[in-house]
Amino acid sequence: EPEVTQTPSHQVTQMGQEVILRCVPISNHLYFYWYRQILGQKVEFLVSFYNNEISEKSEIFDDQFSVERPDGSNFTLKIRSTKLEDSAMYFCASSVGFLNEQFFGPGTRLTVL
Amino acid sequence: AQSVTQLGSHVSVSEGALVLLRCNYSSSVPPYLFWYVQYPNQGLQLLLKYTSAATLVKGINGFEAEFKKSETSFHLTKPSAHMSDAAEYFCAVNGGSQGNLIFGKGTKLSVKP
């Protein structure tokens, strides 16, 4: 069964460093999403991506964040200069259409020290 | 703006007992509603979704949910809990035009033998 994969499963970084979180969506999916979940809080939408551009983003997704689909398979989230409050679980998701089921990856736990 | 409220951050039931997880929504447009389940160290998996067809929606693993517009509710039920149902459950509503999901805070379900 096809699945969304994410690497790494856990990333530890120093404040101010850049991190790149990687996702491989399901191959025939067209819509891609990043969400995050700070420990003990709700899952929050960050950004959606379609047709090689950002289609929607939340107020959390500021200039420190960027997304890219560098090739036909990977979908990345970059945080330019990490802050302590960026520590969270980051989930990638993909779907065939924007109202179809979103399939989620297992997440990357980001710890900023 | 769309939002979701899940009543009860933690619900505990005995094996074989009824499971009832509550979700109320707020939406300025006809909502699409979802229930996702998250097992430990895994991503979110879709249990079921409401997309304005039948108000009683059946999902995987014996779960179902009923959309009640008058009560703005979409509660999740299962007649008989199983130990394998222990997980965290998230209710979500479609957010913006690109299908991003707005999640509730989640309800952790424990099942006692």
Side-chain angles (χ1 to χ4, degrees), chain B residues 1-94:
Chain B
Q2 282 77 275
S3 68
V4 165
T5 302
Q6 290 184 244
L7 297 174
S9 59
H10 195 179
V11 169
S12 182
V13 300
S14 298
E15 193 172 18
L18 171 72
V19 175
L20 171 60
L21 305 182
R22 299 177 188 274
C23 172
N24 288 88
Y25 71 90
S26 171
S27 179
S28 55
V29 298
Y32 281 34
L33 293 157
F34 307 81
W35 275 100
Y36 279 84
V37 62
Q38 184 180 30
Y39 298 101
N41 301 315
Q42 293 188 29
L44 299 161
Q45 180 185 6
L46 183 69
L47 274 178
L48 49 80
K49 67 178 181 181
Y50 166 77
T51 57
S52 76
T55 56
L56 182 63
V57 182
K58 293 189 185 299
I60 62 171
N61 301 340
F63 284 93
E64 62 182 38
E66 187 172 7
F67 172 72
K68 290 187 177 180
K69 185 178 178 181
S70 60
E71 298 177 10
T72 61
S73 69
F74 190 57
H75 301 331
L76 181 71
T77 60
K78 181 174 180 177
S80 176
H82 193 270
M83 297 295 291
S84 60
D85 295 327
E88 189 149 20
Y89 293 79
F90 294 91
C91 182
V93 66
N94 60 299

Side-chain angles (χ1 to χ4, degrees), chain A residues 31 33 35 37 41-45 48 50 55-56 91 98-107, chain B residues 4 32 34 36 38 41-44 46 49 51 88 90 94 96-101 103-105:
Chain A
Y31 289 79
Y33 306 85
Y35 294 83
Q37 184 180 29
Q41 298 186 26
K42 62 172 72 176
V43 177
E44 301 171 291
F45 166 72
S48 59
Y50 169 71
S55 47
E56 196 152 10
F91 292 105
F98 70 93
L99 285 177
N100 291 87
E101 174 183 356
Q102 291 183 28
F103 289 79
F104 282 76
Chain B
V4 165
Y32 281 34
F34 307 81
Y36 279 84
Q38 184 180 30
N41 301 315
Q42 293 188 29
L44 299 161
L46 183 69
K49 67 178 181 181
T51 57
E88 189 149 20
F90 294 91
N94 60 299
S97 61
Q98 296 301 312
N100 58 289
L101 297 174
F103 286 88
K105 285 192 172 184

Side-chain angles (χ1 to χ4, degrees), chain A residues 52-81:
Chain A
N52 278 323
E53 60 183 24
I54 291 174
S55 47
E56 196 152 10
K57 59 183 180 179
S58 71
E59 61 274 11
I60 303 168
F61 195 87
D62 61 22
D63 291 343
Q64 293 298 313
F65 292 89
S66 62
V67 289
E68 197 178 34
R69 190 157 159 80
D71 51 44
S73 58
N74 290 283
F75 179 50
T76 62
L77 174 70
K78 183 194 288 187
I79 309 175
R80 258 179 276 282
S81 178

